[in-house]
DNA sequence: ACAGCCATGTAACTTGTTACATGATTTT
DNA sequence: AAAATCATGTAACAAGTTACATGGCTGT
């Protein structure tokens, strides 16, 4: 319930109403994670239902502000203190795709790897450029967010390369002649992005 | 729709029925991603509703097998060919937590980072041990899956360290005296896990 | 008056997930 | 006969998401 907890965190700084929560959320994530307004209200309903927030009088008419209850503060504190444990770890679509691809007789797993790699490298380029050329207000939170995406994409690309290496090794005994060298050999992913 | 596509991929190799799909799925992911039986049936219903699969006669009584339709094969092919594009990128709970933490006046972002780092390093240790000491049948797909988790967790730890560095730099102008050295300084994350 | 924004909300849908119910067959 | 396993299914809920409806206020 990441969105709910985020809204709870914003409300814990100061009570506000729906639309401003959306704006605050998007400001902090630099517009990378747009939030539908409707979701704000449904999420607020759930938070109120669970006793984490309670409505207060808004500044102006037509504004329905909320404040965090004692229970809500406790839940929020726990969220900040306790690391997100994965048990089981969240299903990764890409990993599932690869696991299925290497078994499927009609699918060339190397093709899947190359397609995914191309997509990941493109995204990596986009976000690296975005970081190097930040739009308008540069924000620490925004920087951390973008760097997180870059780190994750780098890990993804390295994993795809490792997969290919394992596949080559797995099928090595099947070929008697040399295979064509992979098309992406000259392309290199920088290991470190941070200065 | 990762689960749905996975079941579709398994069915595309050979038609089967619900329970065996669950078993196949879990066999390929080595039990790391257990699949609730109920979800198999609801997912099969949705796949049938969308015209991607169609029921066929099962081998025995009480078994309701499915086969992939032409439409389903097309959808599956596209799934394998097209890289997962993120637009917008999926919301990461940890990143949201950090972004909220650095703004919140009552929360020490460093504490959050250290708690998350500890949890991530623990998981990293668990999965590294799991990889080094595989349970029963070692499988290429299982190996790739576990390595993916390791790569992602490594990226997470490195990102958390980068966050702390940025925080230290951000608040450097606020302190006049030296701060206590971080507790985790002797602990080192290996950059490369693969041989 | 009308266009546009501010602000709230609702209905519908998707995927994921759990808990439970049901019947058939097999084992003890 | 009771227990366990195989196999299918349903109900309900959580979280995310979109599209749409509504009403009030503001500026031209």
């Amino acid at each position: 319930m990441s969105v709910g907890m985020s809204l709870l965190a914003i409300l814990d700084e100061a009570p506000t109403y729906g639309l401003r929560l959306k704006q605050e959320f998007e400001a902090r994530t630099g517009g990378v994670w747009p939030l539908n307004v409707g979701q704000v209200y449904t999420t607020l309903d759930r938070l109120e239902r669970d006793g984490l927030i309670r409505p207060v009088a808004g500044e102006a008419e037509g504004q329905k502000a909320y404040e965090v209850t004692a229970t809500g503060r406790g839940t929020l504190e726990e969220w900040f203190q306790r690391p997100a444990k994965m048990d089981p770890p969240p299903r990764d679509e890409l990993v599932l795709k690869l696991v299925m691809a290497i078994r499927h007789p009609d699918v060339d797993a190397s093709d899947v790897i190359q397609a995914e790699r191309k997509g990941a490298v493109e995204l990596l380029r986009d976000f690296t450029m975005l970081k190097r050329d930040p739009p308008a207000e540069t924000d620490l939170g925004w920087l951390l967010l973008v760097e997180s995406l870059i780190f994750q994409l780098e890990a993804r690309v390295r994993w795809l390369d490792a997969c290919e290496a394992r596949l080559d090794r797995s099928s090595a005994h099947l070929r008697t002649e040399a295979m064509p060298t992979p098309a992406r050999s000259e392309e290199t992913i920088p290991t470190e992005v941070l200065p």
Side-chain angles (χ1 to χ4, degrees), chain A residues 8 25 35 40 48 52 54 75 79 97 133 136 142 168 177 184 188 190:
Chain A
L8 193 62
F25 184 93
L35 189 58
V40 174
E48 186 183 2
L52 306 183
R54 122 176 34 97
T75 305
W79 187 61
K97 196 187 287 192
D133 198 17
W142 178 85
D168 289 350
E177 288 303 316
R184 45 143 210 85
T188 312

Side-chain angles (χ1 to χ4, degrees), chain A residues 33 39 61 69 72 83 86 91-92 95 111 129 151 161 176 185:
Chain A
W33 286 331
Q39 192 174 351
E61 282 300 318
T69 64
M86 356 193 235
R91 293 197 185 102
D92 187 332
V95 179
D111 289 350
M129 276 172 39
F151 274 53
D161 287 343
T176 51
S185 36

Side-chain angles (χ1 to χ4, degrees), chain A residues 1 3-8 10-11 16-26 33-49 53 64-66:
Chain A
M1 213 191 161
V3 175
M5 285 303 144
S6 299
L7 297 186
L8 193 62
I10 298 175
L11 280 175
T16 8
Y17 55 92
L19 251 199
R20 266 193 61 180
L21 279 171
K22 170 201 160 76
Q23 291 159 359
E24 265 300 312
F25 184 93
E26 290 181 345
W33 286 331
L35 189 58
N36 188 284
V37 201
Q39 192 174 351
V40 174
Y41 295 106
T42 55
T43 304
L44 286 175
D45 284 344
R46 291 198 262 260
L47 288 174
E48 186 183 2
R49 180 203 56 187
I53 61 175
K64 195 179 172 190
Y66 288 91

Side-chain angles (χ1 to χ4, degrees), chain A residues 63-170:
Chain A
Q63 291 180 2
K64 195 179 172 190
Y66 288 91
E67 68 180 359
V68 179
T69 64
T71 313
R73 205 140 24 223
T75 305
L76 189 60
E77 215 168 300
E78 209 197 333
W79 187 61
F80 278 129
Q81 281 171 6
R82 246 201 358 214
K85 64 173 180 330
M86 356 193 235
D87 185 40
R91 293 197 185 102
D92 187 332
E93 179 174 3
L94 174 55
V95 179
L96 276 178
K97 196 187 287 192
L98 246 296
V99 167
M100 297 302 155
I102 58 176
R103 283 295 166 84
H104 200 295
D106 302 349
V107 174
D108 186 343
S110 279
D111 289 350
V112 177
I113 292 175
Q114 289 316 314
E116 290 289 346
R117 194 184 195 281
K118 197 179 160 200
V121 169
E122 258 173 47
L123 284 169
L124 193 51
R125 187 190 6 90
D126 292 348
F127 285 118
T128 306
M129 276 172 39
L130 189 68
K131 178 189 165 188
R132 216 157 283 189
D133 198 17
E137 313 97 32
T138 329
D139 181 35
L140 177 58
W142 178 85
L143 180 62
L144 298 185
L145 200 172
V146 173
E147 280 183 349
S148 163
L149 294 174
I150 290 175
F151 274 53
Q152 293 295 319
L153 282 170
E154 279 181 351
R156 167 164 294 206
V157 172
R158 285 202 222 114
W159 177 72
L160 285 168
D161 287 343
C163 285
E164 211 196 16
R166 291 228 180 270
L167 276 184
D168 289 350
R169 239 174 295 171
S170 274

